Amino acid sequence: MRQPEADLWMMEIQVTQLLSFISAVVSLTAITFLAYRYSARPHTVSGAPPVIPQIVPLGIGHLVGILKHGFEYFEHLAEKNKLPIFTLKILTKDVHIINSPDLIVAVQKNPKVYNFAVFAKMMLPRLFDVDSMTMKLASTSIELPGGGIGDLIVETNRIMHRCLGPGPSLEEMERVALTRMLQFFGELGKDGAVIHLFAWLRTVMTVASTEAIYGPQNPFSKRRPELEQALWQVYTTVDLQHFKDWEHDLTRLLLAPAPSIFARKGFQARSRFVDAMIDYLEWRGHEEGSELVKARYQAGIVYGLSIPEIARFEIGSIIGVLVNSTPTLFWLLMHIYSDPQLLAELRTELSLGPMWNPIQMAGRKLCTIDVPTVRQTFPLLASTYQETLRFHTHNSSSRMVMQDTTLAKRYRLKAGSIIQIPGATVHALPSMWGEDADQFNPRRFLKSTSEEDKRKQHPGAFRSFGGGVSLCPGRHFATTEICAAAAMFVSRFDMSPVDAEGKEVDWHIPSMEVGRITSAIPLPKGDIKVKVGVREHMAEWEWSFGFRGQDAK
């Protein structure tokens, strides 16, 4: 064969091979695409909940979605698939996302099968850097002082519900928190001030809430004691930026590998928290604190924990106090002041309510808000508060399935699988909240006198405080603190947004920074600058909070 013919023959072979390769690639791509199209639809196997597929295999795709979007990832999938329950394959675990109030109630009625405490124990080592020996001590069941047998997790939950439930312990904490808050309100001054609202509220709520818990040696409040109190001058403090760093990285601390690298700021901030809490406990600061912190400390001692170990458990207890109260009050005030009609109606309601009759005595004008009756006697304020929670909640309740079971006689769940109940999904259901479920309606929770308008709230429909055995024990404290603060702020102050030059502008409610799995109420995306001033006819009045006949001034 002559050389030109040979070259041509070789070229034909190469072209044929190339075309065969291209054909194979195209065929494989087509088969893969068709297979994905088929598998991309939720599918059910043997009575189990439908499985939502993922593009990235081996359970990694959904994990990346959670790391990136937090609980909003669950909400997105629920909105897309419109299912009462579905399953995500995440690494080696089945995670069941429940979106039906009826199924939520079924889970809450059976806490032994759908267990919260076991799930909490799984998270503790990652979130708070608790070592295996400490977890072993905390997980050992012993005879409890109040009767019964349980481990430290169970006992801590009992303590929280006992100390934060209605009674003297809760009332004292409310008194301390609101008394401290009064000082911040007074610092705004009669001439008003220009502040960044969320930053200001963060300081107010953090200092007031933590002083109510930890007492005069509060590690979250910067103190400069007088010289005669030199005993306390060596006391260290944690500033708010460390809390912000820690809270921002909590998702990565929980889920990411090598948190000291991938959640560096949060890892370092957590260490700072632990150091400050160790100092607080070693200086016996808890002995001047609330009944809550005293009881938690004593429980740690009973279970054989050292002070550093107790300190690590203690920082876990402040998440609800610091993470959710500030954004709740922020959103509540935003909705009130951006709606002139709502603001006017609330001020009328407050002026006619039990602000213990304003009195003039010895040339002083005194006005006291009766704290124990705030929610009962200010129904529009209470409704606006509840709607703020409904509208802004982005939490998720977690459970571990302890044995093979059938949920609601329909869905087969395997032992070791995890349940997640995203609150925002349930809060957006028109079947529960009406066709305006996607709108903010401050009157939604007002009791209707019309029989046809009355809708009994489904026991699984309101998820802001969780539910069942994981119902937030701090809900009473948070509700009283937020509603009483809002009542006084609305009664005393005018507030308007301003630009960088201090000129008044229209209200614009910022969007929410969703994606943090430990935040039930998201932070705003960016702060808002406002001018706050005492209302003209309120300038001469002295304000206080009343607690069943005793004033906090």
Side-chain angles (χ1 to χ4, degrees):
M1 183 180 296
R2 289 178 295 181
Q3 185 63 36
E5 292 178 348
D7 292 343
L8 181 60
W9 179 70
M10 289 298 298
M11 184 179 298
E12 288 177 350
I13 293 177
Q14 292 172 352
V15 169
T16 300
Q17 291 175 337
L18 178 61
L19 291 174
S20 298
F21 175 75
I22 292 174
S23 177
V25 170
V26 170
S27 299
L28 181 60
T29 301
I31 293 171
T32 303
F33 175 74
L34 291 173
Y36 174 75
R37 284 290 302 272
Y38 172 77
S39 65
R41 301 170 184 173
H43 54 279
T44 304
V45 179
S46 303
V51 176
I52 305 299
Q54 50 195 323
I55 297 177
V56 182
L58 304 177
I60 298 174
H62 292 314
L63 178 60
V64 172
I66 296 171
L67 283 170
K68 184 176 181 180
H69 301 290
F71 294 138
E72 191 181 22
Y73 185 68
F74 300 155
E75 299 157 17
H76 168 72
L77 293 177
E79 175 63 24
K80 179 181 178 181
N81 294 284
K82 307 291 185 184
L83 293 167
I85 181 174
F86 56 79
T87 298
L88 306 180
K89 299 284 187 179
I90 301 179
L91 300 180
T92 61
K93 287 288 184 182
D94 285 352
V95 180
H96 308 296
I97 312 301
I98 296 181
N99 309 299
S100 161
D102 290 335
L103 295 181
I104 292 171
V105 172
V107 168
Q108 291 179 172
K109 285 183 176 179
N110 200 344
K112 291 185 178 180
V113 174
Y114 311 110
N115 192 279
F116 170 73
V118 171
F119 191 86
K121 291 175 186 176
M122 288 175 55
M123 295 191 300
L124 281 173
R126 294 280 298 186
L127 279 178
F128 310 120
D129 197 23
V130 178
D131 61 36
S132 58
M133 183 58 68
T134 302
M135 283 304 303
K136 184 177 180 180
L137 290 172
S139 301
T140 302
S141 293
I142 65 174
E143 187 172 345
L144 301 175
I149 296 177
D151 58 29
L152 181 58
I153 310 301
V154 173
E155 177 62 3
T156 298
N157 192 49
R158 291 180 183 178
I159 290 171
M160 298 280 282
H161 281 279
R162 183 179 74 246
C163 293
L164 293 172
S169 173
L170 175 63
E171 291 172 8
E172 181 59 25
M173 288 177 60
E174 292 170 347
R175 185 193 308 275
V176 173
L178 293 173
T179 299
R180 188 67 174 93
M181 203 175 291
L182 272 177
Q183 299 174 18
F184 284 101
F185 288 165
E187 290 169 2
L188 287 176
K190 295 182 179 180
D191 297 329
V194 175
I195 59 174
H196 287 89
L197 182 59
F198 185 81
W200 184 81
L201 289 174
R202 183 195 288 272
T203 300
V204 173
M205 296 299 285
T206 299
V207 173
S209 299
T210 55
E211 284 196 9
I213 296 172
Y214 296 109
Q217 296 188 55
N218 176 24
F220 295 89
S221 175
K222 291 185 177 180
R223 292 191 166 276
R224 296 184 179 277
E226 299 296 331
L227 292 178
E228 61 267 22
Q229 296 175 318
L231 173 64
W232 309 115
Q233 286 185 348
V234 297
Y235 192 72
T236 60
T237 174
V238 178
D239 62 39
L240 296 183
Q241 183 59 45
H242 284 88
F243 170 74
K244 186 176 180 180
D245 290 340
W246 177 51
E247 193 271 337
H248 184 272
D249 272 359
L250 277 175
T251 303
R252 294 177 182 176
L253 286 171
L254 178 61
L255 298 175
S260 61
I261 298 174
F262 295 103
R264 183 176 56 84
K265 286 187 177 180
F267 188 88
Q268 293 174 349
R270 181 177 63 189
S271 297
R272 180 76 184 273
F273 270 116
V274 172
D275 291 343
M277 195 59 66
I278 290 173
D279 287 344
Y280 171 81
L281 295 174
E282 288 182 342
W283 280 93
R284 315 299 294 177
H286 60 282
E287 294 180 355
E288 297 181 76
S290 65
E291 290 302 314
L292 175 64
V293 72
K294 292 175 184 176
R296 286 198 302 229
Y297 173 82
Q298 187 57 39
I301 295 298
V302 169
Y303 279 85
L305 270 61
S306 65
I307 284 182
E309 291 164 347
I310 294 173
R312 292 188 182 279
F313 274 94
E314 186 62 35
I315 63 174
S317 303
I318 65 173
I319 288 181
V321 174
L322 298 184
V323 171
N324 297 312
S325 294
T326 298
T328 300
L329 182 55
F330 173 84
W331 295 120
L332 177 59
L333 293 179
M334 287 295 295
H335 285 294
I336 291 173
Y337 278 88
S338 64
D339 185 339
Q341 181 179 349
L342 176 61
L343 178 61
E345 290 183 21
L346 280 171
R347 282 176 170 169
T348 299
E349 177 181 79
L350 292 166
S351 68
L352 298 175
M355 289 183 178
W356 290 357
N357 296 328
I359 60 173
Q360 299 189 41
M361 180 175 61
R364 299 171 62 196
K365 295 181 178 181
L366 309 176
C367 188
T368 304
I369 292 180
D370 186 19
V371 173
T373 61
V374 164
R375 288 193 66 194
Q376 293 79 7
T377 52
F378 300 141
L380 181 56
L381 176 62
S383 177
T384 306
Y385 165 69
Q386 287 182 278
E387 178 68 353
T388 298
L389 292 174
R390 185 200 71 85
F391 192 75
H392 290 280
T393 289
H394 282 266
N395 63 357
S396 187
S397 299
S398 306
R399 300 289 190 277
M400 176 70 73
V401 180
M402 303 304 295
Q403 63 189 50
D404 289 352
T405 187
T406 302
L407 176 63
K409 300 180 180 180
R410 182 176 178 183
Y411 300 104
R412 293 168 59 181
L413 309 182
K414 293 182 179 180
S417 58
I418 295 171
I419 288 175
Q420 291 288 337
I421 305 172
T425 301
V426 182
H427 287 183
L429 293 175
S431 59
M432 295 291 108
W433 304 103
E435 294 303 318
D436 65 342
D438 61 339
Q439 303 295 316
F440 184 88
N441 179 2
R443 298 162 186 82
R444 189 183 304 277
F445 290 87
L446 290 175
K447 293 182 179 179
S448 174
T449 57
S450 171
E451 289 298 326
E452 61 182 26
D453 289 341
K454 285 184 178 180
R455 286 200 307 264
K456 185 178 180 181
Q457 184 175 301
H458 192 290
F462 190 77
R463 304 295 306 167
S464 295
F465 293 115
V469 294
S470 64
L471 186 64
C472 175
R475 64 193 185 280
H476 300 296
F477 177 66
T479 295
T480 298
E481 185 181 36
I482 292 168
C483 287
M488 179 168 286
F489 196 94
V490 169
S491 298
R492 290 179 67 176
F493 300 108
D494 285 321
M495 181 169 67
S496 57
V498 295
D499 60 18
E501 286 73 37
K503 296 180 180 179
E504 291 191 14
V505 295
D506 293 334
W507 281 102
H508 173 70
I509 297 179
S511 56
M512 294 183 288
E513 185 181 318
V514 296
R516 302 184 180 187
I517 66 173
T518 53
S519 302
I521 307 296
L523 279 62
K525 279 188 177 180
D527 210 338
I528 180 171
K529 197 173 184 179
V530 296
K531 182 178 181 180
V532 182
V534 178
R535 298 170 66 195
E536 185 176 353
H537 64 290
M538 295 292 181
E540 297 179 358
W541 287 90
E542 296 179 31
W543 290 77
S544 62
F545 290 109
F547 298 84
R548 299 185 179 180
Q550 296 181 1
D551 294 348
K553 299 179 181 177

